[in-house]
């Protein structure tokens, strides 16, 4: 096999799908004739021609005449129903007058390409193909060509009808001999091949479609002839046994020879089209043409392997696996899938597989999702035939935790078939056993896979989600429970396996009742059909029955293990509690609740506590009757026990003992208060005293003291608002508690913790978040003109400034500090995102004056990564909806960004630092000016002018010190104005320096001169464009034309190509630009990005797609 060319570049993933080509028709007709021929034992070969259907009696003579008068192209443009009858009439005409019929057919061929050109029958033999093609190309240059594929909606079925016509024509011509006279179809093929090589796209497209369809139709004929040849050979062998010579043998020999000659002629026409059309058009610049070629080749190889199932033709499928168009790659992959599905084809594919299997594996990670999913299906076929070494599959299994769910689930199916069920292993596939043994074997293999992800529970959930749909053993909840409860577990089920098996059980229960175990990419609410809901309820009942028997034993056995208890306890929220009452199992329910309560007091980790609290709340709210009384009593006992433990721990701290007990019980109280109100009035004053007396106490303890105080204040406010009557005592009590909390928070604003340490950083984050929540809860306007007006609160400006100063310190903390040891359990609540979200909430809700905090936040636009940038972008959107004019806020933000730059310039000699600060200032100006695009320029022109004028005033307020504001900021907004306004601004700026000697300080006034020069260039450029528009006589509508004849990549080295084949038009360049567009897009990173083994927070900052695109680009280079 020849060497295939290497792909010149990596391909970018797009979610758009390419439309596949339409139906191929006529096969059923030929197959029916094949069945008739098998029953025919006569010597004659010719089949009776099908008779045209007679017109119905109700049809008028005028309708019949009209149909007879229709030209071939008019019939094809119609609904296609008359095509079989028209073909029969044309064949009869060809038998009477070949030249006239041929001229009519060729005229239709040209008209199908969109050209109005008619061949005269008297000059048919003398007319050269090249002369006609040149004339047709000249018509296209003059614009006298109609593209039926794109121009009019009424021609949407044109392509299908055209292919249907040729298929019928070939089928009909094989009977009368016109197919094999080497005149009619040779002439047609010459024109089709010639037109397929012309520059006009419509000619190449339509001619390629016709040529490809002819090969498909020839194959159908060749298959029928092949069946006739086999029948004749059998008859000949049988006759020779009876009598070696004789008229019967001679007749059969003659028929056999004739049939063989017809097959040879048919295959020669196939080869002619392949070499004259396919080998050029499979690499056409039009991806639709390339895709049609590859789809057709896949059909040919599959339906006529005796000719096409060889490396001479297969190599094209391999080469187009590297095509830049996702649709072409997908067509190639699907064609190969169909080939590998047929067992008899595999031996002939060995050399092809050896050459291209690595590329097939690479396509499983293709940038286009649909291609990747199809490629994974292709790899399954390779594994089924054991054509891929297992060591080559490592990169494939990494896709189990990839982002797109379609790819993950496709890999999940492959993993199940290959590693769990081992369907591709001959020995395993032959071995049989009972269902329970099979389930246990499958679970053991699944645990081996999960062991690779045991350090990260989230990754384990992704793997379970991928395989769940295919692995029935995951729904064998009774078998899983029995494996966990075995007294003498096998050596294979070690502690890690037991943890993974419990995670699998919990995840399987959630999936079985319709819950998600991994976050959705679109965050849409799930909608289920009635049948699905019934299935979920049935699963819930089955799970409940199983867990009623064994839940207490499971909890008792694994209660001490913090890794196992959280997923195990959480199962209770997915069972049907009503069954406990229906089956009189109240004692078992009470035992389960007691074990959950014991687990709550046994552990202090976030996941275990949160699961226990969630389970208790579910039982107390969702159960009924006696079960609910039991659950509520357990809640009361849990609260009383926790309060007693907290009092004891607080005494220990006062007496100088260790703080650990207090910290753990504060975490427990925090998790409880997140879900319901806990009566801790007796503890609140003790919390305040500890904060006042023990300033050096552990910062994590301080954090949870403040959190619990805040939650208690919030619950007290909720009780007052939701009650029908407002008590003065309750309001007074709330005000005292709020004042005490504000006092403690103000202390940490005046003496902030060290944000460069792990726990100090988290304490500072919590202080900012709690302050923001309190200011929003007690916003003055919320309580104005009500009985609770006294509860309204608004911080003074100095407090807001101190608050922002602390926020600013947290935003500037390095990523390494954020990753330092601290309370990693609550890391998602104590990072930059939480800080900036709290601050933007204050501005968006008008809880603090916008004039100060709004510009400060916006002046950080784009400085702290994608997630912070998105939060600020949402704030800007909210402000634009709330205020008609946000120009003043934008201008103030730009000034503050510029002032930070001036401070750095004046206080530091580090040019790199000042350069970075100035670039940040320019980036913010670019982002804010970018909000005024399209129609927004005219709509908000006054805002743009205001920013420019006030910006110029600011720049000259302290000239030349602040002049850098002109070229760094103002220039970005000037470009959004029309030419006359630019001229006015330029003149206004020049007037400001009429009496100023700018040459005395050249470096200081350089920004001024740069700004003016830029204005002059923009004005001159816009004037030139305006002149062109005024002088133009014809204005082209739509998008501006893109450059043509840009050198494209060569996929195949050994075959020369013409200029038109290697040039890439503007529309084709879009596919090559996808990589750049993908990098420029700013998207919220999905959760999967945060769970890479190296660093969770780092991968939150850098989306995985960006790394992936860089790797692909590097690989292609």
């Amino acid at each position: 096999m020849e060497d295939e060319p290497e792909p010149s570049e990596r391909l970018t993933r797009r979610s758009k799908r390419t439309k596949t080509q339409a139906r191929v028709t006529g096969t059923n007709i030929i197959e029916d004739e094949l069945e008739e021929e098998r029953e025919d034992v006569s010597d004659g070969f010719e089949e009776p021609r099908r008779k045209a259907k007679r017109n119905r009696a109700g049809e008028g003579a005028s309708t019949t005449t009209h149909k007879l008068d229709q030209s071939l192209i008019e019939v094809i443009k119609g609904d296609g129903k008359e095509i079989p009858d028209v073909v029969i009439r044309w064949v009869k005409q060809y038998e009477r007058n070949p030249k006239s019929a041929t001229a009519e057919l060729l005229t239709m061929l040209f008209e199908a390409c969109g050209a109005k050109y008619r061949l005269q029958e008297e000059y048919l033999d003398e007319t050269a193909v090249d002369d006609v093609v040149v004339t047709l190309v000249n018509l296209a240059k003059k614009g006298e060509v109609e593209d039926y594929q794109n121009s009019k909606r009424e021609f949407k079925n044109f392509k299908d009808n055209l292919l249907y016509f040729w298929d019928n024509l070939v089928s009909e011509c094989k009977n009368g001999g016109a197919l094999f006279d080497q005149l009619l179809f040779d002439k047609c093929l010459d024109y089709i091949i010639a037109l397929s090589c012309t520059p006009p796209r419509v000619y190449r497209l339509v001619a390629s479609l016709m040529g490809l369809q002819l090969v498909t139709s020839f194959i159908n004929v060749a298959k029928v002839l092949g069946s006739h040849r086999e029948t004749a050979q059998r008859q000949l062998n049988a006759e020779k046994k009876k009598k070696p010579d004789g008229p019967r043998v001679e007749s059969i020999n003659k028929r056999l020879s004739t049939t063989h000659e017809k097959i040879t002629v048919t295959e020669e026409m196939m080869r002619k089209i392949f070499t004259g059309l396919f080998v050029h058009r499979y690499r056409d610049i039009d991806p639709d043409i390339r895709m049609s070629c590859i789809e057709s080749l896949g059909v040919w190889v599959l339906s006529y392997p005796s000719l096409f199932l060889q490396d001479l033709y297969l190599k094209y499928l391999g080469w187009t696996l590297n095509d830049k168009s996702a649709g072409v790659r997908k067509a190639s992959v699907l064609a190969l899938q169909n080939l590998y599905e047929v067992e008899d084809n595999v031996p002939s594919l060995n050399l092809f597989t050896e050459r291209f299997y690595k590329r097939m594996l690479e396509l499983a990670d293709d940038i286009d999702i649909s291609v990747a999913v199809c490629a994974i299906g292709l790899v399954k076929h390779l594994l089924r035939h054991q054509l891929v070494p297992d060591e080559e599959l490592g990169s494939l299994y990494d896709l189990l935790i990839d982002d797109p769910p379609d790819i993950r689930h496709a890999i999940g199916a492959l993993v199940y078939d290959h590693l769990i069920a081992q369907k591709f292993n001959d020995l395993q596939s032959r071995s049989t056993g009972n269902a329970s043994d099979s389930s246990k074997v499958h679970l053991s293999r699944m645990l081996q896979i999960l062991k690779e992800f045991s350090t990260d529970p989230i990754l384990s959930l992704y793997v379970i989600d991928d395989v769940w749909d295919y692995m029935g053993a995951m729904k064998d909840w009774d078998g899983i429970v029995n494996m966990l409860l075995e007294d003498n577990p096998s050596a294979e089920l070690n502690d890690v396996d037991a943890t993974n098996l419990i995670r699998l059980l919990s995840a399987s229960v959630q999936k079985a009742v319709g819950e998600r175990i991994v976050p959705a990419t679109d965050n849409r609410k799930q909608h289920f059909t009635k049948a699905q809901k019934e299935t979920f309820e049935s699963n819930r009942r089955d799970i409940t029955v199983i867990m009623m028997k064994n839940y207490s034993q499971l909890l008792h056995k694994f209660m001490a293990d913090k890794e196992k208890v959280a997923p195990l306890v959480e199962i209770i929220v997915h069972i049907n509690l009503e069954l406990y009452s229906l089956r009189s199992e109240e004692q078992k329910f009470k035992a389960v609740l007691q074990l959950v309560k014991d687990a709550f007091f046994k552990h202090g980790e976030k996941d275990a506590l949160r699961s226990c609290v969630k389970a208790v709340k579910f039982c107390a709210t969702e159960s009924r009757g006696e079960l609910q009384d039991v659950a509520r009593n357990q809640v009361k006992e849990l609260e009383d026990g926790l309060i007693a433990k907290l009092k004891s721990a607080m005494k220990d701290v006062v007496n100088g003992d260790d703080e650990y007990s207090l910290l753990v019980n504060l975490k427990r109280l925090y998790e409880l208060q997140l879900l319901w109100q806990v009566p801790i009035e007796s503890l609140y004053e003790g919390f305040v005293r500890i904060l006042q007396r023990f300033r050096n106490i552990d910062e994590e303890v301080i954090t949870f003291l403040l959190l619990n105080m805040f939650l208690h204040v919030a619950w007290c406010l909720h009780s007052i608002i939701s009650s029908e009557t407002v008590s003065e005592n309750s309001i007074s009590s709330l005000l005292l508690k709020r004042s005490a909390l504000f006092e403690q928070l103000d202390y940490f604003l005046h003496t902030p913790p060290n944000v460069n340490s792990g726990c100090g950083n988290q304490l500072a984050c919590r202080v900012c978040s709690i302050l923001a929540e309190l200011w929003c809860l007690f916003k003055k306007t919320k309580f104005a003109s009500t009985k609770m007006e006294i509860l309204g609160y608004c911080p003074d400006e100095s407090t807001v400034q101190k608050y922002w100063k602390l926020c600013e310190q947290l935003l500037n903390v390095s990523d390494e500090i954020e990753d330092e040891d601290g309370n990693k359990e609550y890391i998602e609540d104590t990072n930059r995102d939480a800080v900036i979200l709290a601050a933007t909430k204050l501005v968006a809700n008008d809880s603090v004056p916008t004039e100060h905090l709004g510009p400060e936040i916006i002046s950080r636009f784009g400085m702290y990564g994608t997630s912070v940038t998105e939060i600020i972008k949402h704030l800007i959107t909210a402000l634009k909806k709330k205020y008609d004019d946000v120009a003043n806020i934008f201008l103030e933000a730009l000034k503050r960004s510029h002032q930070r730059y001036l401070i750095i310039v004046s206080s530091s000699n580090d040019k790199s630092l000042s350069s970075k600060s100035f670039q940040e200032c320019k980036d913010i100006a670019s982002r804010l000016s970018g909000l005024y695009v399209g129609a927004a320029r005219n709509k908000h022109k006054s805002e743009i002018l205001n920013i420019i004028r006030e910006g110029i005033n600011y720049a000259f307020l302290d000239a030349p010190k602040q002049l850098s504001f002109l070229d760094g900021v103002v220039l970005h907004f000037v470009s959004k104005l029309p030419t006359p306004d630019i001229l006015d601004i330029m003149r206004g700026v020049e007037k400001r320096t009429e009496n100023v000697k700018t040459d005395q300080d050249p470096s200081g006034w350089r920004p001024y001169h740069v700004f003016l020069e830029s204005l002059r260039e923009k004005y001159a450029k816009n004037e030139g464009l305006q002149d062109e528009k005024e002088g133009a006589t014809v204005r082209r509508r739509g998008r501006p034309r893109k450059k043509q004849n840009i050198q494209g990549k060569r996929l195949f080295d050994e075959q020369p190509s013409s200029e038109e084949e290697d040039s890439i038009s503007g529309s084709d360049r879009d596919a090559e630009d996808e990589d750049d567009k993908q990098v420029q897009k700013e998207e919220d990173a999905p959760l999967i990005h945060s769970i890479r083994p190296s660093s969770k927070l780092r991968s939150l900052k850098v989306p995985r797609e960006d790394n992936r695109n860089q790797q692909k680009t590097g690989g292609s280079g």
Side-chain angles (χ1 to χ4, degrees), residues 9 20 138 142-143 154 182 218 239 333 349 371 386 415 437 498 784 792 894 899 1006 1032 1059 1108 1113:
E9 61 179 7
T20 56
N138 290 333
K142 296 175 183 178
E154 56 263 29
Q182 299 184 357
F218 292 159
E239 286 297 327
V333 171
L349 290 166
V371 176
Q386 300 180 358
V415 166
D437 290 343
L894 293 166
Q899 286 164 4
R1006 183 178 294 111
E1059 290 181 5
R1108 188 169 175 177
T1113 306

Side-chain angles (χ1 to χ4, degrees), residues 92-102 121:
K92 291 179 178 178
Q93 179 188 351
Y94 179 79
E95 292 172 352
R96 293 193 302 268
N97 189 347
K99 285 190 177 183
S100 173
T102 303
E121 58 180 281

Side-chain angles (χ1 to χ4, degrees), residues 832-1115:
R832 286 196 190 110
D833 294 356
V835 173
I836 200 69
L837 194 59
T840 55
K841 187 176 180 181
L842 290 173
V843 177
N845 293 339
D846 290 327
S847 300
V848 298
T850 306
E851 292 75 18
H852 175 76
L853 203 54
E856 286 289 359
I857 295 172
I858 295 174
S859 70
R860 268 72 182 177
F861 195 21
M863 289 178 58
Y864 300 112
T866 303
S867 54
V868 173
T869 299
E870 285 299 315
I871 294 171
I872 298 176
K873 188 184 294 184
H874 286 300
L875 172 64
I876 292 172
T877 303
L879 292 177
K880 289 175 73 175
K881 291 180 179 178
K882 186 179 296 185
Y883 303 110
D884 294 333
D885 188 353
V886 294
N888 292 330
I889 299 176
F890 285 177
L891 179 63
E892 190 61 31
L894 293 166
K895 288 180 181 179
R896 296 189 187 185
S897 176
H898 188 255
Q899 286 164 4
R900 291 198 299 269
Y901 160 69
L902 294 179
I903 292 172
I904 292 175
V905 171
S906 60
S907 62
S908 173
N909 294 324
D910 190 345
K911 291 186 177 180
S912 63
L913 191 61
S914 60
S915 176
K916 179 183 176 183
S917 178
F918 188 61
Q919 185 60 46
E920 289 175 351
C921 184
K922 292 171 71 174
D923 291 343
I924 294 170
S926 176
R927 287 176 180 271
L928 292 179
S929 65
L931 299 174
Y932 300 104
V933 293
R937 294 187 183 189
N938 297 326
K939 182 179 179 181
H940 302 287
K941 181 180 175 181
S942 59
E943 292 185 25
I944 301 173
L945 285 171
N946 185 34
I947 292 173
I948 293 171
R949 288 167 184 157
E950 294 301 321
I952 293 172
N953 291 337
Y954 166 79
F956 282 96
L957 188 65
D958 188 7
K961 180 181 178 182
Q962 297 179 176
L963 287 177
S964 57
F965 193 77
L966 291 175
D967 65 316
V969 174
V970 177
L971 193 60
H972 290 280
F973 291 88
V974 173
S975 62
K976 306 298 179 182
L977 293 176
T979 304
D981 292 312
I982 294 178
L983 183 61
D984 293 341
I985 291 168
M986 186 166 56
R987 290 171 178 170
V989 172
E990 288 174 338
K991 284 183 180 180
R992 290 176 178 267
T993 58
E994 287 179 350
N995 300 319
V996 178
K997 296 180 179 180
T998 60
D999 54 351
Q1000 292 182 355
D1001 186 6
S1003 62
W1005 285 90
R1006 183 178 294 111
Y1008 163 77
H1009 294 296
V1010 171
F1011 178 71
L1012 272 183
E1013 185 62 31
S1014 299
L1015 289 186
R1016 292 190 186 101
E1017 290 179 3
K1018 289 180 181 297
Y1019 178 75
K1021 181 180 178 182
N1022 290 343
E1023 275 294 303
L1025 290 174
Q1026 189 66 27
D1027 291 342
E1028 287 181 10
K1029 290 178 181 179
E1030 292 172 357
T1033 57
V1034 178
R1035 184 170 59 183
R1036 181 177 179 270
R1037 299 178 63 184
R1039 293 184 298 175
R1041 293 187 184 276
K1042 297 183 180 180
K1043 277 189 176 182
Q1044 302 291 323
N1045 297 325
I1046 297 176
Q1047 190 66 22
K1049 69 176 183 179
R1050 293 171 179 255
L1051 289 179
F1052 316 106
D1053 296 330
E1054 78 282 8
Q1055 294 180 357
S1057 60
S1058 63
E1059 290 181 5
E1060 65 89 7
E1061 286 171 346
D1062 285 339
S1063 63
I1064 299 179
S1065 66
S1067 61
D1068 293 303
R1069 291 184 62 206
D1070 293 344
E1072 296 180 335
D1073 293 336
E1074 287 172 5
D1075 226 348
D1076 297 333
K1077 292 178 183 177
Q1078 187 73 15
V1079 174
Q1080 290 171 3
K1081 285 180 68 177
E1082 294 180 349
E1083 299 176 337
D1084 286 330
L1087 179 63
I1088 187 68
H1089 297 158
S1090 65
I1091 51 182
R1092 286 297 177 191
S1094 57
S1095 174
K1096 296 180 182 179
L1097 282 184
R1098 292 292 65 71
S1099 52
L1100 270 173
K1101 306 297 188 291
V1102 183
R1104 182 174 177 269
E1105 288 93 22
D1106 294 350
N1107 297 336
R1108 188 169 175 177
N1109 287 340
Q1110 292 169 8
Q1111 293 170 2
K1112 288 178 179 292
T1113 306

Side-chain angles (χ1 to χ4, degrees), residues 562-624:
K562 63 181 181 181
E563 297 289 338
K564 300 180 179 66
V565 73
L568 199 55
V569 167
E570 201 163 329
I571 291 176
I572 198 172
V573 303
H574 304 294
I575 65 177
N576 187 352
L577 298 180
E578 188 179 359
L579 288 181
Y580 278 95
S581 297
L582 295 176
R583 299 187 176 224
S584 302
E585 299 287 0
E586 290 84 356
Q587 291 303 316
K588 288 186 177 180
F589 177 77
K590 187 175 182 180
V592 168
L593 274 181
Q594 182 63 44
L595 288 169
V596 171
K597 189 182 82 171
D598 294 345
F600 178 79
F601 286 113
K602 194 174 189 67
H603 296 282
E605 296 78 19
K606 171 188 168 183
D607 291 338
L609 293 175
R610 194 157 287 184
S611 296
C612 291
V613 173
K614 187 177 177 181
V616 171
K617 180 178 175 61
F618 176 80
C619 294
T621 55
E622 298 300 323
S623 58
R624 296 291 180 268

